[in-house]
Amino acid sequence: MQIPLFPLGTALLPGGPLPLRVFEPRYLDMVSRCLKENAGFGVVLLKSGGETGPAQWHGIGTLANIVDWDQLDDGTLGVTALGSARFRIIDDERRPDGLNVARVEYLPADVKQSVPARYHHLGRLVEGVLGELGPHYQFVEPDFEDAGWVGYRLAEILPIGPEQRQLLLEFTDPLDRLSVLDAVLQKLREENEDES
């Protein structure tokens, strides 16, 4: 399957929202096609280069489906997309209009499993802040009992870098993801205690 690519400075996680401000002609055309065909586009994290020029990106990304859009006051297009399936790029090419497209294979979704008791505090943390995360989270379907869902939301909200978020996207076991995030959270707490 071939999909258009939108390389960004952030990794999109399954089930998570992605607010975008679209102004480049190639991406305006892409959004228009996606809306007409009810199709998604691939979000990949940049390794080098920029969002507007030649670039290199990671080989694993997330399909984004548009859930809302609006013409903004400055003439740009505001788009909210929601992450769905993860994919691996098989090969890619740049079209004459500058749009990158890729042939991809979709990766299996996380096996749904309950959050183990030792990580219940992580689910409670996400539940406690979800309502404060901004209007684009209205499109996120909560599932505080699912280890994969809780892990992805924590990876979105914790202050970690894009490369670490990408690594968490590439994990295949939701419990491994929760284990890493629990360690990150513990380290952040220790750093805050040291500063106080």
Side-chain angles (χ1 to χ4, degrees):
M1 171 169 270
Q2 194 175 63
I3 59 171
L5 291 182
F6 203 141
L8 293 171
T10 187
L12 175 63
L13 302 172
L18 177 69
L20 293 168
R21 192 172 63 88
V22 182
F23 53 90
E24 284 188 71
R26 61 181 165 165
Y27 293 128
L28 289 168
D29 291 345
M30 179 196 78
V31 166
S32 176
R33 278 196 306 275
C34 288
L35 287 168
K36 282 179 191 164
E37 298 168 10
N38 196 24
F41 58 91
V43 173
V44 286
L45 175 65
L46 286 163
K47 282 186 182 179
S48 65
E51 295 173 3
T52 57
Q56 289 185 314
W57 45 79
H58 286 269
I60 291 179
T62 303
L63 187 70
N65 297 299
I66 298 168
V67 292
D68 193 30
W69 63 274
D70 192 21
Q71 194 73 38
L72 302 178
D73 292 339
D74 61 3
T76 61
L77 186 66
V79 171
T80 302
L82 204 58
S84 58
R86 296 178 311 139
F87 61 80
R88 176 179 288 109
I89 294 174
I90 298 168
D91 55 44
D92 58 69
E93 64 176 321
R94 189 176 177 94
R95 291 189 172 161
D97 66 357
L99 184 69
N100 295 293
V101 295
R103 197 162 53 92
V104 302
E105 65 174 348
Y106 288 102
L107 301 173
D110 284 352
V111 174
K112 194 170 174 100
Q113 50 190 304
S114 297
V115 177
R118 67 184 181 275
Y119 297 131
H120 278 179
H121 62 287
L122 300 178
R124 287 193 301 272
L125 174 63
V126 174
E127 191 170 5
V129 300
L130 193 64
E132 302 168 20
L133 295 177
H136 45 276
Y137 269 85
Q138 69 183 300
F139 301 103
V140 174
E141 188 70 36
D143 192 351
F144 301 110
E145 304 302 316
D146 179 53
W149 187 90
V150 168
Y152 284 136
R153 300 300 71 79
L154 264 181
E156 287 165 359
I157 63 177
L158 287 179
I160 59 176
E163 290 291 335
Q164 194 169 7
R165 199 166 281 122
Q166 176 72 28
L167 182 65
L168 292 165
L169 169 68
E170 295 180 12
F171 274 31
T172 55
D173 186 335
L175 299 187
D176 288 345
R177 195 178 298 118
L178 285 181
S179 175
V180 168
L181 288 162
D182 194 33
V184 168
L185 190 60
Q186 183 61 36
K187 186 176 179 202
L188 289 168
R189 285 183 176 139
E190 287 168 3
E191 288 170 0
N192 282 343
E193 286 168 8
D194 290 345
E195 289 172 9
S196 350

